[in-house]
Amino acid sequence: MSEERDDKNAPAGWAALSSFGRNPVTAVGVVVLAVYFLAAVFAGLIAPRDPQKTSRESFRPPSAEHLFGTDDLGRDVFSGVVHGARVSLVMGFAVALLSVLVGVLVGSAAGYAGGLADDLLMRLTEVFIIPPRFFLALVVAALFGSNYVNLAAVLVVTYWPSTARLVRAEVLSLKERGYVEAARALGAGHARLLFHAILPNASPLIVTNFVMMVGMVVLVEAGLSFVGLGDSSHVSWGYMLHNGEHFMRDAWWMMFFPALAISLLVLALNAVGDALNRALDPKTRIAQPGKAT
Amino acid sequence: MRPRRKLLPAYSGRLLFGRAVQSVFLILVLVVINFLLIHLAPGDPAQILAGQSGDEQYLQFIRARFGLDQPLGAQLWIYLSGVLRGDFGYSLGYQQPVLSVIFERVPATLLLVLTAVTLSSAAGVVLGVEAARRENSFLDRAVNTFALVCYSVPSFSVGHLLLIVFALRLGLFPAQNMSSAGQETEGVAHLLDVLEHLTLPVATLTAVYLAQVLRLTRTAMLNVLGENFITTARAKGLEERRVLYGHALRNALLPVVTVVGYDFGMLLSGAVFVETVFAWPGLGRLMIDSLAMRDYPVLMGLFLAVSVGVVVVNFITDLTYSALDPRIGYGRRSG
């Protein structure tokens, strides 16, 4: 590795991120996220028990044997929390990735093309942005069945418009820059201009939007499971909260640990997202997705 | 006395008319989405329009009522004209038209949401301005961390925490419902009773909204404080308070109002969780109850009502925006 950073070829936006890694809060956030990833990948090895397996040892408070206690059916809460990371992370990342992908395509096409295409695409975006996400998800879960595919589909359908708007605004401002003019003067085609000159410079904003969106999706999924509309084929934190609510007076651990798991994950994602945002631009912009839960 | 600023200057009238037309169009689209959801869902549309508790005779009635044997276009027309006349269907579960079931619950949710929005906007704006004024100070960091935590913790978990600590352990506030059961109180006593029940749900919802308003205000203020007109205002020798709350905030509020206004759906979904945790008899609670009872007419009616509410609030946000924006103002600036 050379000591000198090769800034000449790096897009301007990414260069601004050099301060990102030096922030201690970010470092903690990244470590926390890594722990969650490891838990999700190696859940089978880390969890001492099968999270679905019931036993006669119900309502045991946290102890050396049951780190986070047991629930009403004698299931190990710690094992549930570890396995729950899978649902949250897979849903969070899959939904955010797809939404951002669609949003970037629509937003950059609208911003770059301008004119009638821009008008039509933005009208379309307006239609998709209106139905309140959480209520639509409830209705779809009730009418079409609450499985992960349906939930992911509803969330993607309602999350892409915000990214599309953000990216469109960014592309509108970027396409007037000097280096884009220069590339155009050199004879670069539309695809080359968009994918090599404009989008790389919008990518820090897109990544920030993605990171914060993952956190919001994790919250929405947990919320749906909490009101009893999640996919019950896998252990999820939201379901554990749903179940624990009936016993909150006596078995606080049934709700405390899943709630802590959700909160820490989303906190880490938002902290990293905030740090990215700050590193991006001294004139901080508002790339904050609305919180539904 | 200074003449009152006109709320809507003439030249933005056409713009707002355009927005009004667009809002009506969006409402029509929403009704169509609702219709499509009913028909795309697996199973018999009549079952959804009737609700799970309908018997075969009632299903026949529903089929005739909604013309389910006719082509889809004709069905859409029947559905659309019904909804536009205010007919959202009938709930067998509640033995009432859906619209009156919904209207019964509106006051409880409005009380909860409006109280929380008022408190969180006031506190969020002041904290956001003070944090931005001393960027990177201890206060700024503390306020920021607090907002980040509130923004990250699920609202139902905030609710559970307050419920367990202040209602179950300390017994300071009632845990459930909007008023005490079994006691018919009136006048001031009733007001105090409701207020007592309101405290914890409002505290929960305020914490959630506060995070949003605070973060937005701080960001917007930081942006505005770097502008030339702020430097000019300071150079003029204006006192800092007027620069901050007069000049800067007036401009910083625009994005805040827009985002909060456009997030009305989010505000309501936050209320669903809080109403669930505290058994608050509002729209959110109704939604969850109708899900459990498979009362689809109420469920679909609520979805439509909430979506239309979002469109209307967005429109009001546009009005507010033009009233607040110094550039769309009537040619004069205050301060």
Side-chain angles (χ1 to χ4, degrees):
Chain A
M1 291 273 176
S2 70
E3 285 293 312
E4 280 182 359
R5 282 187 302 118
D6 185 16
D7 274 351
K8 261 174 288 173
N9 295 325
W14 288 117
L17 288 187
S18 57
S19 68
F20 166 75
R22 290 201 289 271
N23 184 341
V25 178
T26 323
V28 174
V30 170
V31 169
V32 170
L33 289 183
V35 170
Y36 275 90
F37 272 104
L38 292 176
V41 174
F42 300 108
L45 296 174
I46 297 169
R49 291 176 176 76
D50 177 354
Q52 312 253 35
K53 192 167 179 290
T54 56
S55 75
R56 274 197 220 151
E57 301 186 335
S58 53
F59 297 123
R60 294 288 155 91
S63 65
E65 196 188 345
H66 296 286
L67 228 47
F68 293 173
T70 63
D71 71 2
D72 52 324
L73 299 176
R75 292 173 292 196
D76 185 45
V77 174
F78 177 70
S79 304
V81 167
V82 172
H83 277 272
R86 288 186 167 171
V87 170
S88 288
L89 286 182
V90 170
M91 277 294 278
F93 276 85
V95 168
L97 200 65
L98 280 171
S99 311
V100 167
L101 206 66
V102 177
V104 167
L105 284 177
V106 174
S108 56
Y112 184 79
L116 185 65
D118 183 25
D119 259 2
L120 286 177
L121 286 173
M122 282 303 107
R123 288 296 94 79
L124 187 74
T125 312
E126 259 157 30
V127 170
F128 278 94
I129 223 164
I130 289 291
R133 169 176 308 139
F134 183 71
F135 292 90
L136 184 63
L138 281 181
V139 166
V140 167
L143 295 186
F144 294 77
S146 47
N147 55 56
Y148 292 123
V149 176
N150 285 351
L151 293 183
V154 177
L155 293 180
V156 171
V157 162
T158 54
Y159 267 110
W160 71 263
S162 59
T163 308
R165 284 187 166 179
L166 206 64
V167 171
R168 172 181 173 269
E170 186 75 356
V171 169
L172 275 181
S173 105
L174 286 176
K175 77 173 178 183
E176 304 301 334
R177 300 278 168 89
Y179 59 83
V180 179
E181 284 293 319
R184 190 177 294 133
L186 286 173
H190 292 311
R192 188 164 177 86
L193 278 179
L194 191 55
F195 290 105
H196 289 262
I198 297 178
L199 278 184
N201 287 296
S203 53
L205 181 70
I206 296 168
V207 170
T208 309
N209 181 246
F210 170 76
V211 171
M212 303 200 71
M213 197 189 284
V214 174
M216 294 305 113
V217 175
V218 168
L219 282 181
V220 172
E221 190 280 323
L224 284 167
S225 304
F226 168 67
V227 296
L229 278 175
D231 189 327
S232 47
S233 63
H234 290 78
V235 183
S236 71
W237 298 328
Y239 169 75
M240 296 175 79
L241 290 174
H242 173 71
N243 189 37
E245 204 187 15
H246 309 292
F247 311 104
M248 71 165 112
R249 195 179 283 269
D250 306 305
W252 56 269
W253 54 90
M254 280 178 65
M255 278 172 65
F256 178 74
F257 293 106
L260 192 66
I262 300 171
S263 306
L264 272 183
L265 173 59
V266 180
L267 192 60
L269 285 163
N270 283 336
V272 171
D274 269 3
L276 279 169
N277 223 0
R278 234 172 296 132
L280 269 185
D281 201 341
K283 266 189 80 133
T284 28
R285 62 194 107 197
I286 299 171
Q288 166 182 331
K291 182 189 180 192
T293 34
Chain B
M1 244 176 67
R2 167 193 302 171
R4 270 182 71 88
R5 230 159 56 83
K6 269 169 79 177
L7 186 67
L8 300 177
Y11 61 86
S12 71
R14 217 170 61 195
L15 198 77
L16 286 171
F17 178 72
R19 291 294 292 162
V21 171
Q22 197 188 3
S23 302
V24 172
F25 169 73
L26 283 174
I27 289 175
L28 288 179
V29 171
L30 285 165
V31 179
V32 175
I33 291 178
N34 226 26
F35 174 80
L36 288 178
L37 280 173
I38 292 171
H39 283 267
L40 288 175
D44 185 359
Q47 192 74 254
I48 296 169
L49 288 163
Q52 198 73 310
S53 46
D55 54 16
E56 191 47 44
Q57 200 187 352
Y58 189 69
L59 286 181
Q60 285 302 338
F61 166 73
I62 287 292
R63 284 194 191 100
R65 159 75 183 77
F66 288 96
L68 294 187
D69 52 349
Q70 295 174 34
L72 210 59
Q75 292 186 35
L76 175 62
W77 177 245
I78 296 174
Y79 183 77
L80 194 66
S81 51
V83 168
L84 292 184
R85 279 199 311 270
D87 179 5
F88 277 45
Y90 187 84
S91 162
L92 284 181
Y94 290 93
Q95 295 287 328
Q96 270 182 60
V98 168
L99 213 52
S100 49
V101 177
I102 293 176
F103 274 136
E104 245 170 45
R105 303 292 194 103
V106 167
T109 295
L110 275 188
L111 176 64
L112 181 65
V113 171
L114 288 183
T115 315
V117 165
T118 310
L119 290 176
S120 57
S121 303
V125 164
V126 172
L127 284 174
V129 169
E130 293 302 319
R133 172 190 196 170
R134 310 184 186 84
E135 200 190 352
N136 290 326
S137 66
F138 174 75
L139 176 89
D140 184 30
R141 279 165 201 273
V143 161
N144 244 333
T145 312
F146 170 72
L148 189 66
V149 171
C150 286
Y151 186 62
S152 306
V153 178
S155 54
F156 41 89
S157 295
V158 178
H160 285 140
L161 185 70
L162 295 180
L163 181 70
I164 291 175
V165 173
F166 292 101
L168 299 184
R169 300 275 162 181
L170 300 176
L172 292 176
F173 295 100
Q176 308 260 283
N177 293 325
M178 196 167 159
S179 54
S180 306
Q183 312 173 7
E184 288 304 311
T185 51
E186 271 177 24
V188 180
H190 180 68
L191 204 69
L192 285 176
D193 188 40
V194 171
L195 210 60
E196 218 179 22
H197 284 80
L198 185 66
T199 309
L200 290 182
V202 159
T204 309
L205 213 50
T206 302
V208 177
Y209 297 168
L210 178 68
Q212 196 111 332
V213 176
L214 201 167
R215 284 163 60 90
L216 286 168
T217 308
R218 180 180 172 275
T219 310
M221 279 298 282
L222 284 180
N223 284 344
V224 171
L225 284 178
E227 299 277 347
N228 285 335
F229 72 92
I230 295 298
T231 319
T232 312
R234 281 185 178 141
K236 271 199 312 198
L238 276 184
E239 53 177 313
E240 186 66 10
R241 183 186 293 270
R242 278 190 80 179
V243 174
L244 283 176
Y245 287 91
H247 288 65
L249 183 60
R250 178 124 189 250
N251 288 276
L253 268 184
L254 289 175
V256 177
V257 166
T258 319
V259 176
V260 172
Y262 274 107
D263 267 356
F264 182 65
M266 304 284 168
L267 298 187
L268 282 181
S269 34
V272 173
F273 293 107
V274 173
E275 290 182 5
T276 309
V277 170
F278 293 98
W280 186 261
L283 294 173
R285 185 74 225 169
L286 178 65
M287 184 122 196
I288 302 299
D289 286 347
S290 62
L291 268 170
M293 298 193 308
R294 304 204 164 274
D295 194 334
Y296 295 124
V298 172
L299 187 65
M300 300 309 289
L302 261 176
F303 175 62
L304 193 58
V306 168
S307 323
V308 170
V310 170
V311 175
V312 172
V313 171
N314 283 359
F315 182 67
I316 296 174
T317 307
D318 286 339
L319 292 185
T320 319
Y321 191 100
S322 58
L324 273 178
D325 192 340
R327 281 160 307 179
I328 310 183
Y330 205 52
R332 48 175 295 124
R333 292 245 174 110
S334 59

